[in-house]
Amino acid sequence: MSAGPRPGTLAALLVGLYPEAWRERYGEEMLALVTDDPPGPRGLASLARGAVAAHLRPPAALRGPRTARMRLSLGALFACWLGLSLAGLAFQKMIENVPFNTPLRDASQRHELIAFSHGAVLAGALLGAAAIAVGGLPLLWLALRRAAAPGQSRLRALLALPPLALLAYAGLALVVFALAPERGQGFPLDWVLSAAVPMTLGAVLCVLVCAAVPRAVLRRIEPSARALRRAALAGIALAVAMWVVAAGIGVYALALWREAPALAAQTTGPFGASTGATLAANCAAALALTACGAIAATRAARAALTPA
């Protein structure tokens, strides 16, 4: 029976997480080192920490050319937006049946704040879609044109990966929801664990695939600095949209607990958690993704505005 991935294999995967400029300078040497002397758990943890530090605080000598910095930052920003979009879809699914116009504490008090925050999430989603259209669609069109040329089977396979990953995750979610017990029957702990683990891993893998593919595609098609600059500046609007969405989810969660505690205590989803607790977790994920997206957008804009 297999004992799982070998340390050398895991180390090679971790080396692949380092920034492109770092891999070009040290990648072969590091891969040879971890192949000859596979690290243990502490060494693997050290490689993971080093990858995070190399992305967050890259030395000036390893920041790469301006176009490379824009490509990498835009790929990270898109991954954060995708993760936030999944959180937004979950938010929309949770609150689709909330009665906005029913009385709360008295007949004169209604769900104004809750409805307003719901509108903010929708407004942020529309702004984000517009930013993606302005900055991302020209790059996608360029990639599709290149993929249609002969001898570009690898590029075509790369472009097919994100929709396939999203379809696979949607299929997994449908299976989990179809197998979920009725709410009146309760949610046994073994069911929660057996459903939550694959759902979480599926979401992480989906986001990782959709984060890695844009970087690989942009590197292969080599768009012009002008196209990357337009996408980087549109990324500022995308970061603003992410903050609007995250703030809307956060305000909604707080308002629901404060103004409609009975609604907040209701169970939701296939795991049996309360609506309020699920919204709180959703809000925490949205804020983390938005903060990372803001960093990526700032770096892309800074590279775009740096003189060539």
Side-chain angles (χ1 to χ4, degrees):
M1 186 175 66
S2 174
R6 293 178 299 174
T9 304
L10 291 176
L13 293 174
L14 289 173
V15 170
L17 296 178
Y18 278 75
E20 179 181 316
W22 189 98
R23 295 197 310 272
E24 289 178 352
R25 178 172 294 192
Y26 303 115
E28 291 186 7
E29 178 183 349
M30 183 62 72
L31 282 174
L33 180 63
V34 299
T35 301
D36 294 339
D37 185 17
R42 293 182 63 181
L44 293 174
S46 178
L47 282 172
R49 289 195 301 270
V52 173
H55 281 284
L56 294 179
R57 297 185 299 276
L62 293 179
R63 289 176 184 172
R66 186 167 67 103
T67 53
R69 297 201 303 272
M70 284 191 283
R71 282 194 286 109
L72 294 174
S73 298
L74 288 172
L77 177 59
F78 178 76
C80 293
W81 171 253
L82 177 66
L84 185 66
S85 299
L86 292 177
L89 289 174
F91 167 79
Q92 181 64 32
K93 181 67 177 176
M94 278 187 290
I95 59 109
E96 61 185 359
N97 295 320
V98 173
F100 290 115
N101 297 318
T102 56
L104 292 174
R105 294 176 180 169
D106 55 64
S108 63
Q109 187 180 22
R110 300 183 184 278
H111 289 285
E112 285 90 355
L113 185 58
I114 294 178
F116 173 81
S117 59
H118 178 246
V121 172
L122 292 179
L126 291 175
L127 176 60
I132 290 288
V134 171
L137 287 184
L139 296 176
L140 177 60
W141 175 243
L142 175 62
L144 291 174
R145 287 176 55 193
R146 297 280 177 86
Q152 294 293 335
S153 57
R154 183 169 296 182
L155 179 57
R156 289 191 287 270
L158 282 173
L159 291 173
L161 279 177
L164 289 176
L166 290 171
L167 285 174
Y169 183 69
L172 175 63
L174 289 175
V175 170
V176 170
F177 276 87
L179 296 178
E182 295 292 334
R183 293 185 181 180
Q185 299 175 5
F187 293 84
L189 180 60
D190 58 346
W191 159 254
V192 173
L193 294 177
S194 63
V197 170
M199 285 287 289
T200 302
L201 290 177
V204 171
L205 288 175
C206 184
V207 171
L208 287 177
V209 168
C210 294
V213 166
R215 292 186 176 191
V217 169
L218 288 175
R219 185 175 185 179
R220 182 169 289 274
I221 66 175
E222 296 182 347
S224 65
R226 181 180 178 182
L228 288 173
R229 185 174 184 271
R230 179 175 57 243
L233 295 179
I236 298 175
L238 184 60
V240 172
M242 293 177 70
W243 280 116
V244 172
V245 171
I249 295 175
V251 171
Y252 189 101
L254 291 174
L256 191 66
W257 275 114
R258 180 177 180 273
E259 305 296 348
L263 289 175
Q266 290 180 356
T267 58
T268 185
F271 307 132
S274 68
T275 300
T278 307
L279 277 173
N282 193 282
C283 179
L287 288 174
L289 289 165
T290 299
C292 293
I295 293 172
T298 301
R299 289 183 174 178
R302 187 180 299 153
L305 298 175
T306 300

